Amino acid sequence: MPTAGVVPKPSATLRFIRPGRLAPDDKGPVDRHHDYFFGHDGTFSQFVWIPRFTAYQLLEPARAGHPGKPVGYWVEGKPVGEAGVVWSSEEFGGFYAAKFEASRLDAVPGEVGSGAGATAGTSSRAKVARRCVPWATVDYDESMAACALMGLHAHMMHDEEWTALAVWALIHGVEVRGNNRLGVDADEPGIAFLTDPTNELRTLTGTGRNPDWPTEVNTTSHTGLEDGVLDLNGNVNEWTQELHVDEAYQMLILDVPTGLEAPGKGYVVGLATDPRFRRYGLPITANGSSTWFSGDFFNRQKVDTRAMRGGTWGDEDRSGLWNTYLNCLRTFRLPNGGFRPCLTYD
């Protein structure tokens, strides 16, 4: 079975997400990240509009004018050389991502400054709110159902949508921080998080803050600013929809067999460039680490495993936006596993 690179045509056509529009009650701006409060179940959940943007992937970095960068790297500006030969482009965005990891609908937020009083709740419905206990110990199908119950336009985050956030951060030089070293960030220990009172290794949603930052700065978001999506690095791994590995290590996307063998366990040193797979952030892996992708890690096992993204509170430098674990059965319910809803409007 081939590995990442040149792969056979899948047995069915893969369906990519088409960029959508703003919600009817969202006045924009359409070309900038901004918060949107989505009404459902008697509450409002906080989302971030991800504007449409074009990014360029390097197929032959040196010939594209980027010597030294790895194959599959994304850049903001149009490279030199022939399109489709030394570089390709993709449009991302046009959706809403939950600003924080999901919590249960009846979770009680902790107090400002201390996080005291936060409770996990017991509801089977979800919300997205700051200073809440992340909804963990939840399996793939429960996560899918909780997102669907939020409304017609809601769904659990697609791997395409996760990749859009990772690409945005990469092309803008943002090193996204988070709770990845037992309550602190491995690379920026000055960030203070509010501890989850139900699990001392987790932190409450959206609480990472360094007192030295200017008001608008927040490097725990994918934009490096307060306008971005938070909780993407560490804390809890997040289920995503598309990626799936079967008993033969074959990669499936939206349950479509691809004929592609999943990359092996290792650090992310490059990204798949095949046009059918590059929107999913699939890596090319090797034993050595790469500073280009912040030391993020990829792991996979066989037997019907589903994707989890971002890493956990104990993954340290191996966590981050390019971290992908394909080693969890869809029935796994782990204290370090959660999820994130998204919204799309056609």
Side-chain angles (χ1 to χ4, degrees):
M1 185 180 294
T3 55
V6 178
V7 298
K9 187 175 182 178
S11 59
T13 301
L14 296 178
R15 177 178 59 84
F16 295 128
I17 300 170
R18 297 189 331 182
R21 58 178 176 84
L22 293 175
D25 60 340
D26 184 358
K27 304 307 179 184
V30 70
D31 60 345
R32 291 175 54 192
H33 292 84
H34 61 268
D35 288 350
Y36 170 68
F37 289 87
F38 174 67
H40 66 99
D41 297 307
T43 191
F44 286 91
S45 284
Q46 193 168 355
F47 285 79
V48 176
W49 168 251
I50 310 301
R52 299 184 188 187
F53 66 96
T54 298
Y56 300 88
Q57 191 180 41
L58 307 179
L59 310 181
E60 297 184 31
R63 293 178 61 195
H66 292 272
K69 286 190 170 63
V71 171
Y73 197 83
W74 295 89
V75 296
E76 182 179 18
K78 185 177 179 180
V80 300
E82 185 178 354
V85 177
V86 300
W87 59 268
S88 292
S89 64
E90 290 284 344
E91 184 182 66
F92 295 98
F95 65 94
Y96 295 89
K99 194 170 184 75
F100 319 112
E101 292 165 333
S103 300
R104 292 183 185 270
L105 182 64
D106 58 348
V108 176
E111 295 181 5
V112 176
S114 69
T119 63
T122 59
S123 176
S124 61
R125 291 178 176 264
K127 69 177 178 182
V128 181
R130 197 185 292 265
R131 298 192 315 279
C132 283
V133 174
W135 186 348
T137 318
V138 56
D139 70 24
Y140 177 91
D141 293 299
E142 290 169 334
S143 302
M144 289 278 285
C147 292
L149 286 171
M150 294 181 75
L152 177 64
H153 299 281
H155 58 269
M156 190 167 76
M157 179 171 264
H158 291 275
D159 289 272
E160 278 189 79
E161 292 166 331
W162 181 281
T163 302
L165 305 183
V167 170
W168 176 277
L170 186 66
I171 68 177
H172 291 92
V174 180
E175 292 280 352
V176 179
R177 308 304 188 193
N179 168 26
N180 55 35
R181 185 181 281 174
L182 310 181
V184 300
D185 180 82
D187 296 306
E188 194 173 339
I191 300 174
F193 298 88
L194 299 183
T195 301
D196 176 351
T198 72
N199 184 320
E200 64 180 8
L201 300 178
R202 287 195 305 246
T203 55
L204 299 181
T205 57
T207 58
R209 189 76 199 164
N210 188 323
D212 295 332
W213 291 340
T215 302
E216 71 279 7
V217 170
N218 189 331
T219 63
T220 70
S221 95
H222 81 290
T223 64
L225 302 171
E226 281 289 343
D227 65 2
V229 177
L230 288 78
D231 302 333
L232 295 163
N233 182 332
N235 210 28
V236 296
N237 254 319
E238 300 180 25
W239 292 109
T240 47
Q241 281 204 44
E242 278 92 352
L243 301 185
H244 175 198
V245 173
D246 69 10
E247 295 183 358
Y249 290 118
Q250 179 182 204
M251 184 72 71
L252 287 79
I253 296 177
L254 296 171
D255 293 314
V256 175
T258 65
L260 171 68
E261 183 175 338
K265 176 179 179 180
Y267 292 95
V268 178
V269 298
L271 299 171
T273 59
D274 186 284
R276 292 161 292 175
F277 303 104
R278 60 175 171 242
R279 294 183 63 86
Y280 301 114
L282 291 172
I284 303 168
T285 60
N287 292 328
S289 61
S290 170
T291 57
W292 293 110
F293 301 100
S294 304
D296 290 3
F297 201 72
F298 180 86
N299 193 6
R300 61 96 173 96
Q301 301 290 335
K302 58 185 178 179
V303 191
D304 193 22
T305 53
R306 300 281 166 160
M308 303 192 89
R309 299 272 194 164
T312 74
W313 61 68
D315 283 327
E316 301 198 3
D317 288 334
R318 302 200 314 177
S319 65
L321 271 76
W322 298 105
N323 173 288
T324 305
Y325 288 141
L326 272 160
N327 60 349
C328 290
L329 298 175
R330 65 191 301 157
T331 55
F332 279 12
R333 304 175 77 247
L334 305 170
N336 59 4
F339 64 97
R340 184 184 304 263
C342 286
L343 305 171
T344 52
Y345 292 83
D346 295 331

